[in-house]
Amino acid sequence: MNYRDRYKSAAAGEEVDPMGSLVNLFDVAMVFAVALMVAFVIQTRMTEFLTAEDAAFIKNAGKEDMEIIVKKDNKITRYKSEKNSGTGKGRRVGIAYQLENGEVIYVPEETK
Protein backbone atom coordinates (compact mmCIF):
# COMPACT_ATOMS: atom_id res chain seq x y z
CA MET A 1 0.00 0.00 0.00
CA ASN A 2 1.58 3.27 -1.01
CA TYR A 3 1.05 6.76 0.37
CA ARG A 4 -1.96 7.66 -1.80
CA ASP A 5 -3.72 4.32 -1.33
CA ARG A 6 -3.66 4.78 2.42
CA TYR A 7 -5.79 7.92 2.26
CA LYS A 8 -8.13 6.48 -0.39
CA SER A 9 -8.90 3.48 1.80
CA ALA A 10 -9.57 5.76 4.77
CA ALA A 11 -11.98 7.76 2.69
CA ALA A 12 -13.73 4.57 1.54
CA GLY A 13 -14.48 3.65 5.14
CA GLU A 14 -11.67 1.13 5.71
CA GLU A 15 -9.60 1.38 8.85
CA VAL A 16 -6.01 2.62 8.67
CA ASP A 17 -3.43 0.94 10.88
CA PRO A 18 -1.80 3.67 13.00
CA MET A 19 1.10 1.33 13.85
CA GLY A 20 2.06 1.09 10.18
CA SER A 21 3.89 4.41 10.23
CA LEU A 22 5.60 3.48 13.51
CA VAL A 23 7.32 0.56 11.78
CA ASN A 24 8.79 2.98 9.25
CA LEU A 25 10.11 5.17 12.09
CA PHE A 26 11.81 2.13 13.65
CA ASP A 27 13.55 1.38 10.33
CA VAL A 28 14.79 4.98 10.09
CA ALA A 29 16.06 4.83 13.69
CA MET A 30 18.00 1.61 13.00
CA VAL A 31 19.68 3.09 9.92
CA PHE A 32 20.57 6.22 11.92
CA ALA A 33 22.06 4.14 14.76
CA VAL A 34 24.23 2.10 12.37
CA ALA A 35 25.41 5.31 10.69
CA LEU A 36 26.41 6.75 14.08
CA MET A 37 28.41 3.62 14.95
CA VAL A 38 30.25 3.69 11.63
CA ALA A 39 31.01 7.40 12.06
CA PHE A 40 32.36 6.74 15.57
CA VAL A 41 34.70 3.99 14.37
CA ILE A 42 36.01 6.16 11.54
CA GLN A 43 36.42 9.21 13.78
CA THR A 44 38.43 7.31 16.41
CA ARG A 45 40.70 5.86 13.71
CA MET A 46 40.03 2.32 14.86
CA THR A 47 39.14 0.86 11.46
CA GLU A 48 42.03 -1.61 11.82
CA PHE A 49 39.97 -3.46 14.42
CA LEU A 50 37.33 -4.27 11.80
CA THR A 51 39.76 -6.29 9.65
CA ALA A 52 41.21 -9.75 10.26
CA GLU A 53 44.74 -8.37 10.73
CA ASP A 54 46.40 -7.94 14.12
CA ALA A 55 46.61 -4.31 15.30
CA ALA A 56 47.60 -2.14 18.26
CA PHE A 57 46.30 1.30 19.24
CA ILE A 58 47.85 3.61 21.87
CA LYS A 59 45.69 6.26 23.53
CA ASN A 60 47.28 9.19 25.42
CA ALA A 61 50.86 8.04 24.75
CA GLY A 62 53.32 8.99 27.48
CA LYS A 63 50.68 10.29 29.89
CA GLU A 64 49.50 8.89 33.20
CA ASP A 65 46.21 7.64 31.72
CA MET A 66 47.88 5.90 28.76
CA GLU A 67 46.04 2.89 27.37
CA ILE A 68 47.17 0.26 24.86
CA ILE A 69 44.52 -1.66 22.91
CA VAL A 70 45.77 -4.80 21.15
CA LYS A 71 43.88 -6.99 18.69
CA LYS A 72 45.49 -10.38 18.18
CA ASP A 73 43.77 -13.44 16.73
CA ASN A 74 40.39 -11.61 16.76
CA LYS A 75 40.68 -11.04 20.53
CA ILE A 76 40.87 -7.47 21.85
CA THR A 77 42.86 -6.80 25.04
CA ARG A 78 43.17 -3.48 26.85
CA TYR A 79 46.17 -2.53 28.96
CA LYS A 80 45.96 0.53 31.21
CA SER A 81 48.96 2.18 32.84
CA GLU A 82 49.11 2.17 36.58
CA LYS A 83 50.00 5.34 38.41
CA ASN A 84 52.39 3.59 40.78
CA SER A 85 54.29 1.60 38.14
CA GLY A 86 58.02 2.19 37.91
CA THR A 87 58.43 2.81 41.61
CA GLY A 88 60.36 0.76 44.09
CA LYS A 89 63.78 -0.83 44.14
CA GLY A 90 65.28 -2.76 41.28
CA ARG A 91 68.47 -3.58 39.45
CA ARG A 92 69.81 -3.02 35.98
CA VAL A 93 69.25 -6.06 33.76
CA GLY A 94 70.49 -4.92 30.37
CA ILE A 95 70.97 -2.22 27.77
CA ALA A 96 68.77 -1.32 24.79
CA TYR A 97 70.26 0.06 21.56
CA GLN A 98 68.36 1.67 18.70
CA LEU A 99 69.83 1.05 15.25
CA GLU A 100 69.80 3.52 12.36
CA ASN A 101 66.82 1.75 10.79
CA GLY A 102 64.77 2.22 13.98
CA GLU A 103 65.06 -1.35 15.24
CA VAL A 104 65.65 -1.69 18.98
CA ILE A 105 67.96 -4.41 20.29
CA TYR A 106 68.02 -5.47 23.94
CA VAL A 107 71.30 -6.85 25.29
CA PRO A 108 70.94 -8.53 28.69
CA GLU A 109 73.78 -8.15 31.16
CA GLU A 110 75.34 -11.13 32.86
CA THR A 111 74.11 -11.59 36.40
CA LYS A 112 76.61 -12.28 39.16
Side-chain angles (χ1 to χ4, degrees):
M1 176 186 306
N2 65 25
Y3 178 74
R4 292 180 185 173
D5 291 339
R6 184 181 314 167
Y7 290 107
K8 285 181 185 178
S9 63
E14 296 178 17
E15 290 187 26
V16 177
D17 183 18
M19 298 296 286
S21 60
L22 187 62
V23 172
N24 291 337
L25 288 176
F26 179 77
D27 292 341
V28 170
M30 291 303 294
V31 169
F32 183 71
V34 169
L36 281 178
M37 288 189 289
V38 169
F40 173 74
V41 168
I42 291 172
Q43 177 65 28
T44 57
R45 298 179 192 96
M46 297 178 73
T47 54
E48 293 87 13
F49 290 98
L50 299 176
T51 64
E53 298 175 6
D54 295 342
F57 182 74
I58 300 174
K59 290 172 56 176
N60 302 326
K63 297 181 181 175
E64 287 186 12
D65 60 342
M66 183 173 81
E67 185 175 1
I68 301 172
I69 304 169
V70 178
K71 178 187 171 210
K72 186 172 185 178
D73 299 329
N74 289 328
K75 181 180 178 187
I76 297 177
T77 309
R78 301 177 90 165
Y79 301 98
K80 292 186 178 183
S81 65
E82 297 178 8
K83 293 184 179 170
N84 60 359
S85 66
T87 60
K89 295 183 179 182
R91 64 181 177 85
R92 183 176 169 164
V93 293
I95 302 172
Y97 296 98
Q98 185 172 18
L99 303 178
E100 291 177 354
N101 64 0
E103 184 179 3
V104 176
I105 298 176
Y106 168 72
V107 180
E109 293 181 343
E110 293 184 25
T111 57
K112 296 179 183 178

